[in-house]
Amino acid sequence: VETLAERLRGAGYATAGFAGGRWVTPRFGFDQGFEVWQNDASWEASIQDAAHRFAPARAWVARRDAARPFFLFVHLYQAHDPYAPPEQYVGRFAPPPADPQALARPFGEVLPSPEALKAQVALYDADIRASDQAIGDFLRWLASEGRADNTLVVLTSDHGEEFFDHGWTGHGQQYQELIRVPLIWAHPALELLGARVVATPTPSVDVAPTLLDLVGIAVPDDLPGTSRVSELVGGQTEGGVAFSGTAHGPGLRAAAWTDTTHLLVQDGVYHLFNANDDPFETVDLWAPDAPTAA
């Protein structure tokens, strides 16, 4: 496999990655193509606040020759359980529970108390807020260094979190709260070209070809995914289907999502939702008692 980092390095880019967690590691080949790769040594260290991850990234960028393009990958675990936002964010969205043990958050169908569930959501929100602050600080620093006008920024995520929206906690199902993630592209030239919000489902596999296309590197025919540049700058949307799946949970859990429809199979049971009229997926059109119009 030729990675995105390898393709960019072959085009003359300096490449570096700063990651956390037990999965985004050299053991699974994630360092392939990076001249510099840094992983936290332990799971506990990897969930330290997002500012911790950006500190070495900032130092690496500061050493770069401004004439040579760079590819920087920063992987955050801030908004991942166990939720541990920096102290200044704790309590910002809800007071912590009186009993800290109430925050013990097992995956699965064990419903916590209303107080504990509210506290968990608040800590998750605090982690998101801390991540937002760290990313914003880094982008402001790039601007202060005169690098913002020629740096393409891409922000995305691999999954969301569920808090008993559909009878489960963690990230083991395939409802919208899990698979609808942010995908943000930012560059001054995109504004000039009339960039817009693209509402059609976009699978993460499209990120690499879109990025290569935007920076002017030929997209190889054998690269999975499709460039979405024309859609970003006002061209016709392609539609299509976005697929997702996970090994979390007791059995196969997968989904197919189009402009209008979200189809799930969870442990052998099918579910169907209207993606436009039922954004919280409360009416299962596959159920035996579903409306006849389904």
Side-chain angles (χ1 to χ4, degrees):
V1 173
E2 186 178 14
T3 66
L4 179 61
E6 285 177 305
R7 295 182 191 276
L8 289 168
R9 188 173 178 179
Y13 283 66
T15 57
F18 301 89
R22 295 171 289 191
W23 309 114
V24 186
T25 69
R27 178 185 177 190
F28 298 106
F30 281 97
D31 63 331
Q32 190 173 320
F34 288 98
E35 298 168 73
V36 174
W37 180 268
Q38 180 180 311
N39 259 104
D40 287 307
S42 68
W43 175 252
E44 290 73 19
S46 76
I47 59 171
Q48 287 183 355
D49 63 274
H52 164 79
R53 189 86 62 249
F54 275 109
R58 184 183 298 199
W60 181 82
V61 172
R63 296 193 298 268
R64 295 307 96 210
D65 179 353
R68 184 186 180 192
F70 67 85
F71 172 57
L72 171 67
F73 172 66
V74 182
H75 169 248
L76 307 179
Y77 253 103
Q78 178 77 68
H80 196 288
D81 74 287
Y83 307 125
E87 186 176 351
Q88 65 267 35
Y89 297 98
V90 175
R92 179 169 292 198
F93 297 96
D99 178 12
Q101 291 301 314
L103 288 178
R105 184 173 173 268
F107 278 70
E109 299 170 291
V110 180
L111 181 64
S113 68
E115 179 196 29
L117 185 61
K118 182 178 180 180
Q120 288 169 3
V121 173
L123 287 176
Y124 177 55
D125 289 342
D127 272 326
I128 293 172
R129 180 64 184 84
S131 301
D132 181 73
Q133 182 68 49
I135 294 166
D137 288 346
F138 180 74
L139 296 180
R140 282 185 285 273
W141 175 80
L142 274 181
S144 72
E145 294 288 302
R147 295 177 180 265
D149 288 345
N150 63 349
T151 300
L152 170 67
V153 178
V154 185
L155 186 149
T156 192
S157 177
D158 62 335
H159 61 76
E161 293 281 67
E162 52 188 333
F163 296 93
F164 287 93
D165 310 74
H166 291 91
W168 196 270
T169 182
H171 37 269
Q173 301 192 92
Q174 296 291 291
Y175 292 97
Q176 279 206 62
E177 56 266 20
L178 266 295
I179 66 174
R180 186 169 184 168
V181 297
L183 175 56
I184 301 171
W185 304 81
H187 188 281
L190 287 173
E191 277 192 60
L192 296 175
L193 291 169
R196 59 177 180 168
V197 174
V198 176
T200 55
T202 303
S204 297
V205 74
D206 290 349
V207 170
T210 303
L211 192 154
L212 291 173
D213 201 359
L214 281 171
V215 301
I217 297 175
V219 180
D221 292 337
D222 63 344
L223 186 66
T226 303
S227 171
R228 298 293 183 123
V229 171
S230 68
E231 292 178 54
L232 274 175
V233 297
Q236 184 175 357
T237 57
E238 297 296 327
V241 183
F243 295 97
S244 64
T246 180
H248 276 296
L252 173 66
R253 297 181 171 194
W257 194 359
T258 72
D259 285 357
T260 59
T261 305
H262 185 193
L263 174 68
L264 295 80
V265 57
Q266 309 232 113
D267 311 325
V269 179
Y270 285 84
H271 307 273
L272 182 67
F273 299 96
N274 185 311
N276 294 324
D277 298 337
D278 185 19
F280 294 104
E281 298 176 333
T282 59
V283 179
D284 186 352
L285 300 176
W286 199 283
D289 57 349
T292 55

